[in-house]
Amino acid sequence: MTAPGITGLPAVWSEDCLRHDPAGEVWLGVWEPGTEVPERARVLLEALTQAGASVTGARRHDPDALLAVHDDELVDHLATIWAQWEAGGYERDYGRRRVVPYVFPTPGLLGGLPLRSPAATHGRAGRFCYDTMTLVGPGSWEAIRAAADAALTAADLVAAGQRVAYALCRPPGHHTTKSAYGGSCYLNNAAIAAAALRRAGAERVAVIDIDAHHGNGTQAIFYDRPDVYYGSLHVDPGAGWFPHYAGYADERGRGAGTGANRNLPLAPGTSDDDWLAAVDMLVNEVRGRGTDVVVVSLGVDAAAADPESPLQVSPAGYRRAGELIGPLGPVVAVQEGGYDLPSLGGLVVATLGGIVTGARDAGAATTSPWP
Ligand code: SP5
Ligand code: ZN
């Protein structure tokens, strides 16, 4: 069998995505080498180029596109916290090389009090952050903004009639909610793309999240909405895995959004057959509901070699997932996790090849199907 290619597939990218260097992560109180490293993006770019993708620059978008899913205070915070940290001498005088929060305004702390903006920069550092693994430094904001622009540019291409487009987003996004970031994510690129597609005229958007982790941020952003479906398969948080507090099967949406959220938690060790059965369930649910466009949160950390998850999916499994998703409709694929540098590129190329093949075999139209 020849592996169907992705020649000419638009892959949207910005060099600015390399500028974010979290320089590790503080996990369980200890600073460790991180896995969400700039090299990930270099490896992906190289693999896509080798596979014949058409690398396209991310276009700068209006802040409105970010504010469609995020609070302006979160966006302002991400854009300015490093400059405040630097001006405060935290690095120069105290050797704190990155913004690492130490106080978090949890609901239990506030007890209903208004969320104030702490006077101290080190107090403010945790105001919109929920973990100690998601560090901010010089260049972080430029990369964060560029990743969102890449997702928006890919959404533009699909809204203009491109059947499949890929956004090489780094840093990833699916753990960020409307107003809180974490899990190596800052702005929610996939949610921003989904909202942009709605604004471009798609009446129904489906987000299918195949990253190894539950996309708690995307779920939270669309939890009350019937127009943006969110479906995810991921390692079971109930078995002890990040994001710990979300991703359970009984989370089905709320209010008008009831039924438009689906979580399929999987046991650690799950491999191709059961993982693909879960992908197929999401695909069938989306087909049954109907959708105008699909956003794929394309994390490849479910792969067997990945250091961040215990799922055991093969490259052939990822390709097959793409083939199952491809026939659903136009696809905007947004890069999420995936941390095994030697296999990362092949996994993404395989998934995209599957999506393109699935779309072609379904005889899908090349033009945008929504008015
Ligand atoms: C986008 C994405 O895939 N985010 C995943 C974040 C999950 N991180 C959990 C980290 C748990 C501890 N990792 C140990 C690595 C040691 N450096
Ligand atoms: Zn992940």
Side-chain angles (χ1 to χ4, degrees), residues 174-175 211-213 301 337-339:
H174 73 152
H175 294 304
D211 186 279
H213 305 98
D301 44 5
Y339 307 98

Side-chain angles (χ1 to χ4, degrees), residues 135-359:
L135 312 189
V136 175
S140 290
W141 169 247
E142 287 73 16
I144 293 162
R145 182 81 194 267
D149 280 328
L152 285 162
T153 304
D156 290 342
L157 291 169
V158 167
Q162 188 75 43
R163 186 56 170 59
V164 182
Y166 168 74
L168 204 179
C169 298
R170 177 186 179 269
H174 73 152
H175 294 304
T176 295
T177 70
K178 185 172 196 283
S179 62
Y181 71 96
S184 302
C185 299
Y186 301 84
L187 293 178
N188 193 319
N189 307 310
I192 288 167
L197 291 162
R198 285 284 292 115
R199 298 206 310 176
E203 289 179 2
R204 294 162 305 178
V205 178
V207 181
I208 297 182
D209 189 333
I210 62 173
D211 186 279
H213 305 98
H214 178 246
N216 59 294
T218 315
Q219 167 173 297
I221 286 166
F222 298 117
Y223 209 56
D224 300 290
R225 289 173 54 166
D227 56 327
V228 182
Y229 167 94
Y230 176 75
S232 177
L233 67 162
H234 47 266
V235 60
D236 187 358
W241 291 84
F242 189 87
H244 301 288
Y245 293 95
Y248 297 83
D250 61 0
E251 297 159 9
R252 297 297 321 282
R254 186 171 50 212
T258 301
N261 194 89
R262 176 73 72 181
N263 289 327
L264 300 175
L266 302 170
T270 295
S271 54
D272 284 4
D273 287 356
D274 290 342
W275 188 78
L276 286 167
V279 173
D280 201 41
M281 283 180 67
L282 295 181
V283 166
N284 283 325
E285 183 159 76
V286 170
R287 190 175 285 119
R289 295 173 58 87
T291 197
D292 296 317
V293 61
V294 178
V295 175
V296 177
S297 264
L298 206 187
V300 292
D301 44 5
D306 198 278
E308 292 287 356
S309 114
L311 300 179
Q312 298 287 324
V313 179
S314 74
Y318 264 100
R319 172 178 295 281
R320 182 68 191 140
E323 290 172 358
L324 292 169
I325 293 167
L328 284 174
V331 172
V332 179
V334 175
Q335 185 65 44
E336 301 283 3
Y339 307 98
D340 178 53
L341 295 172
S343 63
L344 193 50
L347 289 161
V348 169
V349 169
T351 312
L352 293 171
I355 292 172
V356 169
T357 304

